Amino acid sequence: MGISVGIDLGTSNSVVAILDDDGPRVLADANGRTLQPSVVALEDAVRPIVGREAKERLTHAPQTTVASAKRLIGRRFSDSETQRLRSQVGWTVFGGEAGDARIRVLGDAYTAQEIAAHVLVHMVQIAEEATNETVDSAVITVPAYFNDQQRQATRDAAEIANLKCLRIINEPTAASMAYGYEQRKSQR
């Protein structure tokens, strides 16, 4: 059985943290970076590149590098946000059979959940390298405005990443919990 982590699965960047005997701790990658770009390069569908290296490819390979996929998670193709994003990215956004927003890169179709799963796997790898422990579950933060469909899609992304989603927490709630950790005063 592995450990649980907290993952802030962000639109632009993601962070992974643990709570150990010393309190909450944000984990860093091998280069000491705690902030990881939520970017996935799909030039090689077998081994996608995630994080900083993928972000570096964004300028010279925008058609195969997916950024801001979280904006599509749990959204319909007909949604105004989907249509707005569609006009701003180098990869193709199209409607799936169920009317959901899908991503096409080099002829392969992906759901936003699959792209988010690559980011989650990357964050788990960072946590496992930093702790020398196996990670099998996580608490994942989402924006407070996420609806039930978007929250379920985030759970689905965790499942695709072979990660048990213990709980979905609103980002402001997670921030207040972290701020108030071990403080013994009543505040708002």
Side-chain angles (χ1 to χ4, degrees):
M1 189 163 161
I3 63 170
S4 298
V5 296
I7 299 175
D8 178 10
L9 180 62
T11 304
S12 301
N13 295 291
S14 294
V15 176
V16 62
I18 61 167
L19 179 63
D20 59 17
D21 294 338
D22 298 326
R25 180 169 50 112
V26 174
L27 302 174
D29 65 11
N31 296 315
R33 296 186 198 111
T34 56
L35 199 61
Q36 301 296 318
S38 300
V39 181
V40 179
L42 296 162
E43 295 164 7
D44 178 3
V46 177
R47 188 189 160 272
I49 298 165
V50 183
R52 190 156 314 279
E53 187 179 344
K55 186 176 180 180
E56 291 169 1
R57 294 170 186 256
L58 193 55
T59 54
H60 66 82
Q63 67 283 2
T64 59
T65 307
V66 180
S68 299
K70 183 179 166 187
R71 294 186 194 284
L72 296 177
I73 202 161
R75 290 194 186 269
R76 313 282 302 156
F77 178 69
S78 60
D79 186 285
S80 61
E81 177 67 13
T82 301
Q83 295 306 310
R84 186 187 68 71
L85 183 66
R86 186 174 172 217
S87 67
Q88 297 175 345
V89 296
W91 30 274
T92 304
V93 179
F94 70 100
E97 291 177 16
D100 58 326
R102 298 277 175 112
I103 297 164
R104 187 181 326 272
V105 175
L106 297 175
D108 293 322
Y110 302 91
T111 63
Q113 295 90 312
E114 290 172 310
I115 301 301
H118 288 304
V119 176
L120 290 171
V121 166
H122 182 67
M123 301 314 291
V124 165
Q125 289 170 342
I126 289 169
E128 289 179 341
E129 289 171 11
T131 63
N132 291 320
E133 301 266 357
T134 301
V135 172
D136 63 2
S137 57
V139 173
I140 302 172
T141 65
V142 296
Y145 63 80
F146 259 28
N147 62 30
D148 289 341
Q149 190 171 356
Q150 290 169 305
R151 291 168 192 276
Q152 183 57 51
T154 303
R155 284 185 187 89
D156 294 343
E159 188 175 318
I160 293 167
N162 201 27
L163 187 64
K164 181 180 178 188
C165 181
L166 298 173
R167 182 162 292 180
I168 298 287
I169 296 182
N170 290 339
E171 291 164 351
T173 304
S176 352
M177 290 170 65
Y179 172 79
Y181 184 77
E182 286 192 352
Q183 290 193 16
R184 306 224 189 281
K185 52 186 172 179
S186 178
Q187 285 184 284
R188 291 184 184 207

